[in-house]
Amino acid sequence: MRLDGFGILVDDMAKMIRFYRDVLGFEIRESEDANNVYLVKDGTLFLLYGRGDFEQMTGRRYEYVKGLNGHFEIALYVDTFDEVDAEFRKAVEKGAVPVLEPETEPWGQRTCYIADPEGNLVEIGSFNRPFRQQEK
């Protein structure tokens, strides 16, 4: 098996589409009343599933912690430390919930966290070099 992508269940599809499209710059073509949103970002499939539709399809009810849920995070990479700070500020100015201000960690990564409207964590980080050189 290989990883094809990942998805999250959402309660308010329109609000989540606006966040990922307008705040984080993801290209989303579906309308705000879509049941499911399929998006490929940097070669990874990212899906937003309407919680009610998914529950109906599977015949199960899914309950998650409300607020900052911390069940998982979506990690976004930028090439420089300055970009971490700039992207954090832009996201917060556009309505993202700040969770952790940008800081440089002992392992050499500058990182910060915001939350989307439903409490999912989004990390913005960098090792101060282009992504393809990250492992070198």
Side-chain angles (χ1 to χ4, degrees):
M1 289 188 282
R2 68 177 187 86
L3 178 64
D4 186 36
F6 65 95
I8 59 175
L9 298 177
V10 303
D11 288 318
D12 188 332
M13 185 65 76
K15 186 182 285 186
M16 294 292 276
I17 285 174
R18 287 191 300 272
F19 177 83
Y20 283 96
R21 181 191 63 213
D22 302 341
V23 175
L24 295 182
F26 284 42
E27 184 180 335
I28 298 175
R29 294 186 178 148
E30 284 85 4
S31 65
E32 292 184 7
D33 63 350
N35 293 331
N36 298 306
V37 172
Y38 300 89
L39 162 71
V40 177
K41 175 102 172 128
D42 302 321
T44 300
L45 181 62
F46 176 55
L47 306 112
L48 301 176
Y49 297 110
R51 183 182 305 276
D53 298 314
F54 194 77
E55 288 176 344
Q56 184 177 6
M57 182 178 76
T58 62
R60 296 176 182 262
R61 183 157 170 75
Y62 299 89
E63 292 292 329
Y64 293 97
V65 177
K66 298 295 182 187
L68 289 179
N69 66 42
H71 287 273
F72 70 93
E73 72 172 77
I74 298 167
L76 302 173
Y77 190 86
V78 293
D79 291 338
T80 68
F81 287 175
D82 288 342
E83 287 177 277
V84 172
D85 295 19
E87 293 298 332
F88 177 83
R89 281 192 310 275
K90 282 189 340 191
V92 171
E93 287 169 4
K94 291 181 176 182
V97 175
V99 175
L100 176 69
E101 299 260 339
E103 57 184 56
T104 304
E105 301 296 346
W107 54 86
Q109 179 188 28
R110 186 151 181 85
T111 191
C112 62
Y113 286 88
I114 57 175
D116 72 19
E118 295 191 6
N120 301 298
L121 295 175
V122 179
E123 177 186 19
I124 303 169
S126 178
F127 284 95
N128 213 29
R129 58 185 172 266
F131 182 74
R132 296 291 175 223
Q133 296 175 5
Q134 186 177 340
E135 297 294 321
K136 294 180 182 175

